[in-house]
Amino acid sequence: MAGHSQFKNIMYRKGAQDKKRAKQFARLTREIMVAARSGLPEPDKNPRLRGAVQAARAANMPKDNIERAIKRAAGGEDDTNYEEVRYEGYGPGGVAVIVEALTDNRNRTASEVRTAFSKHGGSLGETNSVSFMFDRVGVVTYPAAIGSADDVFEAAVEAGASNVESGGEAHEVTCDPDDFSTVRDALTERFGDPSEAELTWRPQTTVAIDEDKAQTMLKMLDVLDESDDVQRVSANFEISDDVMARLTA
């Protein structure tokens, strides 16, 4: 029985990973299609599409999937009209949360997001109700092995970045949103595709939450992650290392 249980556990974990990967690919496909329709369906002539393709490659999305998504968007094979929508509100413990989505049905997405907030002690607010507590920034990340801190710093400064943080695992380059495409493309030419490159909301300050609130917050994020429409979530909470260790044990 022990062996059987272990096998089931392994299969469950693999199933969860496969499901997560499929969801990630679905989000990336949606972003590629929206990007392809926002300009020319050619990555070298469309900065947003170039970034979407880079993100897909970083996630090990098959080349055929990427090309198929571009062709579907460019050739009109899929006429689904996706809108970019942002939701803002407060999660458990007064945590400020920004949810970005691409949706073909605003009512469905709003209902899913509102339910996720309300079921976990949060509340959805109006647009701009919490975004003033965040800065909109471009972030380009490379693994530490790509080069020395000095090399990355020099390249980032030349590209027009505003800050570089290098650690044992990664180099994180930040820049103004208006400079994002320029910085990303310059670094790509120097170091190859980044592991991550995106425009995101970075909190100006963080809120420390206790174990109970942290557990609820993480559950809320899991629910939001289950939505096919939700692309990314930004929040200003901070969980201590010991609390996180207990919650993920």
Side-chain angles (χ1 to χ4, degrees), residues 134-150:
F134 294 75
D135 294 319
R136 186 68 166 164
V137 297
V139 180
V140 183
T141 306
Y142 280 96
I146 203 70
S148 69
D150 287 343

Side-chain angles (χ1 to χ4, degrees), residues 28-29 31-37 40-44 46 49-50 52-53 61 63-77:
L28 289 166
T29 297
E31 172 60 27
I32 289 170
M33 292 179 67
V34 170
R37 288 173 181 155
L40 292 171
E42 302 172 39
D44 60 334
N46 182 333
L49 179 57
R50 187 158 59 250
V53 169
M61 187 171 175
K63 183 180 178 181
D64 287 349
N65 293 35
I66 296 172
E67 293 177 349
R68 193 179 307 120
I70 296 174
K71 287 178 181 176
R72 282 170 59 193
E77 297 174 30

Side-chain angles (χ1 to χ4, degrees), residues 18 21 23-24 40 53 56 60 64 74 104 118 159 165 176 183 196 199 201 203-204 223 238-239 246:
D18 289 345
R21 187 179 298 109
K23 216 168 253 301
Q24 183 184 27
L40 292 171
V53 169
N60 295 317
D64 287 349
D104 60 343
S118 62
E165 291 186 14
D176 186 272
V183 171
E196 288 185 12
L199 288 169
W201 295 92
Q204 296 164 1
V223 171
E238 184 177 334
I239 303 175
R246 287 196 296 273

Side-chain angles (χ1 to χ4, degrees), residues 77-143:
E77 297 174 30
D78 188 328
D79 59 357
T80 306
N81 183 32
Y82 293 113
E83 294 180 80
E84 294 181 90
V85 189
R86 188 174 86 229
Y87 303 95
E88 301 180 25
Y90 289 94
V95 171
V97 183
I98 298 176
V99 179
E100 295 174 274
L102 284 175
T103 179
D104 60 343
N105 186 323
R106 291 174 70 108
N107 290 336
R108 178 194 65 225
T109 309
S111 176
E112 289 179 355
V113 173
R114 186 177 294 108
T115 298
F117 274 77
S118 62
K119 283 191 173 181
H120 297 88
S123 61
L124 207 55
E126 300 294 325
T127 301
N128 299 321
S129 60
V130 304
S131 57
F132 68 91
M133 292 185 276
F134 294 75
D135 294 319
R136 186 68 166 164
V137 297
V139 180
V140 183
T141 306
Y142 280 96

Side-chain angles (χ1 to χ4, degrees), residues 135-141 161-163 172-181 183-184 196-202:
D135 294 319
R136 186 68 166 164
V137 297
V139 180
V140 183
T141 306
S162 55
N163 190 48
E172 184 182 82
V173 179
T174 54
C175 63
D176 186 272
D178 292 338
D179 299 328
F180 174 63
S181 294
V183 171
R184 180 198 63 210
E196 288 185 12
E198 63 179 359
L199 288 169
T200 189
W201 295 92
R202 178 149 295 182

